Amino acid sequence: MTPPRTDPTAARDGIRSTTPRQVRPAAEGWTQKLDTDGRPLLQFASPKRGKPPEHLADFTPEQRAARLVELGMPAFRAKQIATHYFTHSTSDPAEMTDLPAANRAELVAGLLPPLLTELRRLETDKGDTIKFLWKLHDGALVESVLMRYPGRITLCISSQAGCGMNCPFCATGQAGLTRNLSTAEIVDQIVRANRVIADGQLGGKKKTDHSQERVSNIVFMGMGEPLANYARVMQAVRTMVAPAPDGLGMSARGITVSTVGLAPAIGKLAAEGIPVTFALSLHAPDDELRDELIPVNSRWKVDEVLDAARAYFDATKRRVSIEYALIKDMNDHGWRADLLGEKLNARGRGWVHVNPIPLNPTPGSIWTASEPEVQREFVRRLEAMGVPTTIRDTRGKEIDGACGQLAAADEDAPA
Ligand code: SAH
């Protein structure tokens, strides 16, 4: 006989009943956009706006060489310019003395036009976390967050300005989709961060360490749904992993693509032959709650996205991450940890790990993070079922390190 499922939240709240409290994801101080059927609006198509300027990083190495020839230059100049940009993180013609002086400025302006204007920079006390707010050519805003960890430097990047997935607990989701980023706008976030590191502006480096440092890990956990901007995101990933001088020479396993769960695109990603780390933002193991927390669940249900995640593991042998924001009394019930463990184990062992993260409440949010003992209980239950589980670090919380909050604050601020 299975023992009755009791819930730690009930004990905490002094409730004698074994029925845990259930808060529903109705947002306060914000009206969720609905479609004509009254369901949360999902925006897959990018609104048409003026195109960002074309940039070297939008092109494949072959296209770059062809472009140089069109401009009446020898093809090898493409590799020289790419080396300056990807390896030396510069777009400044003055630093490119190997290019003919006569039309150097004009050539560089055409191939490496400015894409991101730094509007604001927020740093933690130690300076080992920096959050950037960038303005794009058309005034759209995006963020990236640079974080030093022991042995690695991670950059959290945006794939879209805003997001069309309408998740009620996410600051970016609340703002809707402005537009897709171009490939070069995605890549340039990394090049700009590498420049900041090269200039010694990221804190936390040991005085005795004189190594040349660069961003080693990428997480697509900034603004946007990467799989809704699939072609540009994939071209950016190809450039990240391309060895110098064609790209940034990064390792695919250090790149994490995080998604709400667009099942067909997960299948496409698995077939790319680039073994990036795959993260699924699940946040609830039951369709009833996930339909509300992650509106795209109306298209692709929990079981379908978990099957797609397992197929990703089969194709790449890369262990999948399940993201789970723990929201007090909403999705943190013990029975949900058990159900999650059951659903993961039903698809085999050793293919997945769970990353719960305490909710980082958006301004004015009625929801808060789960209590520490509830978090621990959630982890304990998963581990008891043999599912590796690690609470994710909430680095940069004091600078609104997560989830589109800086751009949201700027849009709310008087001009
Ligand atoms: N659209 C993609 C990637 C961007 S969001 C995705 O959903 O996966 C990156 C991660 O941050 C996701 O797991 C998302 O659910 C989570 N997230 C969003 N808002 C959050 C919040 N307020 N607190 C904690 N995590 C949040």
Side-chain angles (χ1 to χ4, degrees):
M1 215 184 83
T2 29
R5 282 172 175 170
T6 52
D7 193 278
T9 53
R12 190 191 69 231
D13 296 345
I15 301 168
R16 276 176 199 286
S17 148
T18 52
T19 312
R21 243 161 73 81
Q22 176 67 64
V23 170
R24 306 237 53 100
E28 203 172 67
W30 164 70
T31 314
Q32 190 173 43
K33 289 200 192 95
L34 302 177
D35 64 16
T36 46
D37 299 329
R39 288 193 292 202
L41 178 71
L42 294 168
Q43 296 168 272
F44 288 99
S46 176
K48 291 266 171 294
R49 305 198 21 146
K51 280 203 167 159
E54 276 190 343
H55 186 282
L56 182 94
D58 285 312
F59 304 130
T60 63
E62 297 71 32
Q63 290 168 333
R64 292 172 200 158
R67 177 56 60 100
L68 264 292
V69 172
E70 268 169 43
L71 295 170
M73 309 280 280
F76 73 86
R77 297 270 181 232
K79 294 222 187 265
Q80 288 179 308
I81 299 171
T83 302
H84 287 296
Y85 181 67
F86 294 117
T87 307
H88 303 131
S89 316
T90 183
S91 301
D92 179 2
E95 294 179 32
M96 305 184 190
T97 48
D98 56 345
L99 298 178
N103 51 2
R104 189 194 298 157
E106 192 193 343
L107 180 67
V108 174
L111 288 170
L112 304 175
L115 297 174
L116 309 177
T117 306
E118 188 176 328
L119 270 193
R120 265 207 266 163
R121 194 185 284 205
L122 267 72
E123 294 182 21
T124 50
D125 290 345
K126 278 197 249 160
D128 60 355
T129 301
I130 304 178
K131 175 158 171 166
F132 301 94
L133 178 64
W134 306 108
K135 192 167 95 181
L136 309 180
H137 81 101
D138 55 352
L141 303 177
V142 294
E143 302 173 356
S144 21
V145 185
L146 182 60
M147 293 160 280
R148 179 191 293 282
Y149 292 95
R152 68 179 199 277
I153 297 177
T154 299
L155 184 69
C156 176
I157 60 174
S158 297
S159 56
Q160 299 180 310
C163 185
M165 296 297 107
N166 214 345
C167 303
F169 60 94
C170 171
T172 308
Q174 294 178 0
L177 178 62
T178 302
R179 69 168 169 86
N180 282 332
L181 299 193
S182 67
T183 295
E185 285 171 330
I186 297 169
V187 171
D188 201 44
Q189 295 171 59
I190 310 170
V191 172
R192 296 292 295 269
N194 279 336
R195 182 82 234 177
V196 166
I197 298 167
D199 290 344
Q201 293 169 8
L202 178 64
K205 190 177 184 182
K206 291 207 178 73
K207 289 224 163 54
T208 48
D209 180 356
H210 300 290
S211 62
Q212 289 276 342
E213 294 183 320
R214 296 163 70 80
V215 171
S216 57
N217 294 62
I218 296 292
V219 292
F220 276 96
M221 293 193 184
M223 303 174 96
E225 168 48 45
L227 298 188
N229 186 15
Y230 189 88
R232 294 173 194 85
V233 163
M234 278 319 299
Q235 184 54 34
V237 168
R238 281 184 211 108
T239 302
M240 292 175 205
V241 301
D246 293 335
L248 290 161
M250 303 180 74
S251 132
R253 58 182 50 227
I255 300 169
T256 299
V257 174
S258 177
T259 177
V260 287
L262 311 185
I266 299 170
K268 249 165 98 180
L269 183 68
E272 292 281 353
I274 307 178
V276 295
T277 299
F278 175 72
L280 174 65
S281 298
L282 194 67
H283 304 311
D286 53 310
D287 286 319
E288 197 193 348
L289 180 58
R290 195 169 192 268
D291 279 345
E292 297 181 62
L293 271 181
I294 309 287
V296 84
N297 199 66
S298 61
R299 302 263 184 113
W300 297 288
K301 297 291 175 194
V302 170
D303 285 316
E304 199 176 348
V305 289
L306 288 178
D307 287 343
R310 168 71 211 201
Y312 187 86
F313 171 81
D314 290 332
T316 62
K317 296 290 171 276
R318 301 282 305 133
R319 201 161 70 152
V320 166
S321 302
I322 302 291
E323 306 296 308
Y324 201 107
L326 283 169
I327 313 175
K328 185 179 176 180
D329 296 336
M330 174 106 68
N331 63 355
D332 60 357
H333 311 87
W335 70 265
R336 285 201 160 94
D338 297 342
L339 181 60
L340 175 58
E342 279 164 26
K343 291 202 166 188
L344 297 179
N345 284 342
R347 290 166 174 82
R349 301 282 176 145
W351 68 281
V352 70
H353 62 160
V354 177
N355 283 152
I357 175 169
L359 181 80
N360 187 4
T362 56
S365 167
I366 48 170
W367 310 321
T368 57
S370 306
E371 303 292 341
E373 70 268 27
V374 175
Q375 295 178 26
R376 280 194 292 274
E377 174 66 8
F378 201 88
V379 173
R380 194 196 62 71
R381 288 188 184 224
L382 283 164
E383 282 181 339
M385 297 176 80
V387 179
T389 305
T390 344
I391 299 253
R392 218 172 65 199
D393 159 51
T394 53
R395 178 75 80 92
K397 206 165 173 220
E398 66 272 39
I399 54 167
D400 288 342
C403 322
Q405 295 183 9
L406 189 55
D410 215 80
E411 260 152 18
D412 293 343

